[in-house]
Amino acid sequence: MKYGEHLKANVAPEYGPEPYLDYDKLDEIIRVLSKQVPSSADQTSRQISLTTPPQTNAQGLAADVKGETEETFLKALDGEMAKVESFTLKKVTALRDKIRATEGNIRDSTDIAKSNGDPLAKDSRERLLDQAEDIAEDFLRLEKFVNINFMGFHKILKKHDKHLPNNPCKNFYVNRMHAQAWVRGDYSDLVVRLSHIYSSLRQDDLAKEPGDEANQSFLRSTTKYWVKTEDVSRVKYAVLKHLPLFLQKTSTGETDSQFTNSVYLDNDSLELYHGRLDKTPGAIALRLRWYGVGDPKLVFVERKTHNEKWTGEVSVKERFMIDESEVHQVLTNTYPIEEKRKAMLAKGKSQKEADEWEQLVREITQVCVSKQLVPTCRTQCMRTAFQIPFDATVRVSLDTNLCMISERGYDLHDMKVWHRDPSWVLEPNEITRFPHAVLEIKLQLTGGNMTPPQWVTELQNSGLLYECHKYSKYVHGCSVLLPDDVRSVPYWVDDVSLRDSINASGGSRILADSVAGVGSGANEVYSHLLPFGDVSHNRSATAVGRTAASKMASKGLIGDKAMKGDGPGLFNEPIMEDDFLGEDDDYCCSWMFPFCSRSNNYAMAIVAPTSIQKIEPKVFLANERTYLHWLHHGVILSTIASGILAFSEDSGETWGEVYALILLVVSLGFCVYALHVYLWRTAQIRSRIPGRWDDPIGPMALGAILAVILTVNFGTKLWEISQLQN
């Protein structure tokens, strides 16, 4: 389908076709220009005559007889950009007016409720929530409008340069478009004000008090996801409906994100990198973190220690704060620990707190010297945090504009210089920009309750998030920026969506065979964990494994709305390159029960709002254990049958021989079934097809057959005994 038709099919009814890019008009101008063969300009002439007629063709007519020139296309393009920009800014102004009105309604309703001494009425709260939801839907609709036009301009410019290679203009106009307000504008203030509205209606300030959970034991679960750029605003809205933004104060007001820098320390052999990559028990990561733009003033020295859950220990993160001038002392083990400890006690800190602080500082300063740690890699991002004050049940962070910068190759001046000067020019191989946002969900599960809140589950299954098992910004940065120093690389570097960014940073040698022509090594084993697929398996770069839930999520349909199929034309949209439906899976025992058809499973996959199935490497081991258990039972049955058959032949018992032969057939069925289920489930795990991976029918069928045989044998023996007594 042509993009012009796709654009028309996705026109918002509230907007109409007028404000959208007129793709067909620009396309027609390109077609006319491509059919013309104008005489080429004289590239050597440096002078012109204003009285000389224009160049003519073979008939003696002006070369551009139809009047369509390159100038016509460029003027039309400028007009379309101005039209889209004007409409976008007008809608943003209208959205701000709506938010202002809703904020006024909340203040009025709250004041009335306080004057009456009553809480905010339920009907008033629902009415205000509806207003906030309408504002959010308008904003997401506007963002979709911007995205579809943005993509349209990219495609029409690419088409222009393809058909008119003598007059390329894509690079110039793309850079110009990125400088316009409708593309570069930061409208995060709308998100901040929406967060205030939802927080006021939830009354988050009354939800918890400091120290409410100080004495409760809990288990913290952390999961990391990749989020496509076009889905960031929708994910933010899905979270802020339940958690308030952790706002940052700036000179221009409040913003929903904070500039975050983290400098990671390692030695020449990248010992800490390989420890974190291999998930060695006790492996540590050390970093120096500061917040805000400009030179750091306060620096957090942080240590993360990895422990596997099966060992009974949990991974921990510890940190202490120092002044920027003291970083040199920490890195050289000259930090005045005793003086700082006395100052802490003088300020009222307890003896226990001082002891724990001292132990942490001594361990970090000593390891910096003993392992000869130096600045190795820096991560930069804009971090948006969500959390109810004094309530750590659910914490969410979203990192956008994520990039990694190499901290190698400059003079440290005996650790006095520990990060690059912002004024230094970075070479292409010294920085890599991550193409996705990174979402981190931290759940505090208390009292044996291992079930996360429903809204978290709905978000995880919305099709907007793509889990990347054990993803690490530091590990990714080192593997891409220091390809000559690393002995092994993480599995996710083979994800097809990262290929361009890795190649742009000069790290192509770490990619798989089909990408860079070098050995892929063990990474092929973990291809099932890649969020967007890998080239070697010929997967699309548009999120393999996504079901129709992804399309629903792009319309804001999450959870119950997705199940009900709300929204116009949900299944009638044309499938473009960004709309990829996952493969429908075969039911495990379709060979045994033909009524379980592929079409039924496909329909179920279309309706169910499931995302890519969560996979961990231990799932493969569980599948192998299940296979061995089934084989074990099959071998036991075959051994029993062989014994019965041997004794029956000696005694001449006919029924015993028949019974033994039937048991042999059943034992063979157990083994065949075990092999079939093992291969089927392995394929399901590798492809991460959403749906059930268990087989509730096969075991029941085999168990029923075995029970019938045993019952018949028991009845036969009872009959023989009764005959002997008679």
Short mmCIF file of all heavy atoms in Angstrom, two decimals, residues 267 271 333 363-373:
data_model
loop_
_atom_site.label_atom_id
_atom_site.label_comp_id
_atom_site.label_asym_id
_atom_site.label_seq_id
_atom_site.Cartn_x
_atom_site.Cartn_y
_atom_site.Cartn_z
N ASN A 267 38.85 -1.59 35.09
CA ASN A 267 40.29 -1.59 34.83
C ASN A 267 40.57 -1.93 33.37
O ASN A 267 39.65 -2.08 32.57
CB ASN A 267 41.01 -2.56 35.78
CG ASN A 267 40.36 -3.94 35.79
OD1 ASN A 267 39.77 -4.35 34.79
ND2 ASN A 267 40.47 -4.63 36.90
N GLU A 271 37.49 -6.08 34.06
CA GLU A 271 37.12 -7.15 34.99
C GLU A 271 35.68 -7.00 35.48
O GLU A 271 34.93 -7.99 35.55
CB GLU A 271 38.09 -7.14 36.17
CG GLU A 271 37.80 -8.19 37.23
CD GLU A 271 38.76 -8.10 38.41
OE1 GLU A 271 39.78 -7.39 38.28
OE2 GLU A 271 38.48 -8.72 39.45
N ASN A 333 42.05 6.45 47.22
CA ASN A 333 42.03 5.92 48.59
C ASN A 333 42.69 6.87 49.58
O ASN A 333 43.41 6.47 50.49
CB ASN A 333 42.71 4.55 48.65
CG ASN A 333 42.35 3.81 49.93
OD1 ASN A 333 41.41 4.17 50.64
ND2 ASN A 333 43.11 2.75 50.23
N GLU A 363 35.37 -0.21 51.76
CA GLU A 363 35.37 -1.26 50.74
C GLU A 363 35.50 -0.67 49.34
O GLU A 363 36.25 -1.18 48.49
CB GLU A 363 34.10 -2.10 50.85
CG GLU A 363 34.05 -2.96 52.10
CD GLU A 363 32.73 -3.71 52.22
OE1 GLU A 363 31.84 -3.47 51.37
OE2 GLU A 363 32.59 -4.54 53.13
N ILE A 364 34.79 0.44 49.07
CA ILE A 364 34.83 1.03 47.73
C ILE A 364 36.18 1.67 47.45
O ILE A 364 36.76 1.49 46.37
CB ILE A 364 33.68 2.05 47.58
CG1 ILE A 364 32.33 1.32 47.54
CG2 ILE A 364 33.86 2.89 46.32
CD1 ILE A 364 31.13 2.24 47.43
N THR A 365 36.69 2.43 48.40
CA THR A 365 37.99 3.09 48.16
C THR A 365 39.12 2.07 48.01
O THR A 365 40.03 2.27 47.20
CB THR A 365 38.31 4.06 49.31
OG1 THR A 365 38.22 3.36 50.58
CG2 THR A 365 37.34 5.23 49.33
N GLN A 366 39.07 0.99 48.77
CA GLN A 366 40.11 -0.02 48.66
C GLN A 366 40.04 -0.78 47.34
O GLN A 366 41.08 -1.07 46.73
CB GLN A 366 40.02 -1.00 49.84
CG GLN A 366 40.43 -0.38 51.17
CD GLN A 366 40.15 -1.28 52.35
OE1 GLN A 366 39.74 -2.43 52.17
NE2 GLN A 366 40.37 -0.77 53.56
N VAL A 367 38.83 -1.08 46.88
CA VAL A 367 38.71 -1.82 45.62
C VAL A 367 39.12 -0.95 44.44
O VAL A 367 39.63 -1.45 43.43
CB VAL A 367 37.26 -2.35 45.44
CG1 VAL A 367 36.31 -1.26 44.97
CG2 VAL A 367 37.24 -3.50 44.44
N CYS A 368 38.93 0.37 44.55
CA CYS A 368 39.35 1.26 43.47
C CYS A 368 40.86 1.19 43.26
O CYS A 368 41.35 1.22 42.12
CB CYS A 368 38.94 2.70 43.77
SG CYS A 368 37.17 3.03 43.59
N VAL A 369 41.61 1.09 44.36
CA VAL A 369 43.07 1.04 44.27
C VAL A 369 43.55 -0.36 43.95
O VAL A 369 44.43 -0.57 43.11
CB VAL A 369 43.70 1.56 45.58
CG1 VAL A 369 45.21 1.38 45.55
CG2 VAL A 369 43.35 3.02 45.78
N SER A 370 42.99 -1.36 44.64
CA SER A 370 43.47 -2.73 44.46
C SER A 370 43.21 -3.25 43.05
O SER A 370 44.03 -3.99 42.49
CB SER A 370 42.81 -3.66 45.49
OG SER A 370 41.40 -3.68 45.30
N LYS A 371 42.09 -2.89 42.47
CA LYS A 371 41.77 -3.34 41.11
C LYS A 371 42.17 -2.33 40.05
O LYS A 371 41.91 -2.55 38.86
CB LYS A 371 40.27 -3.65 41.00
CG LYS A 371 39.82 -4.84 41.81
CD LYS A 371 38.36 -5.16 41.56
CE LYS A 371 37.91 -6.38 42.34
NZ LYS A 371 38.56 -7.63 41.86
N GLN A 372 42.77 -1.21 40.46
CA GLN A 372 43.23 -0.16 39.54
C GLN A 372 42.10 0.30 38.62
O GLN A 372 42.22 0.31 37.39
CB GLN A 372 44.42 -0.68 38.71
CG GLN A 372 45.62 -1.07 39.54
CD GLN A 372 46.79 -1.56 38.70
OE1 GLN A 372 46.62 -1.87 37.53
NE2 GLN A 372 47.96 -1.63 39.31
N LEU A 373 41.01 0.71 39.24
CA LEU A 373 39.83 1.13 38.49
C LEU A 373 39.99 2.56 38.01
O LEU A 373 40.48 3.43 38.73
CB LEU A 373 38.58 1.02 39.37
CG LEU A 373 38.29 -0.38 39.96
CD1 LEU A 373 36.99 -0.35 40.75
CD2 LEU A 373 38.23 -1.43 38.86
#
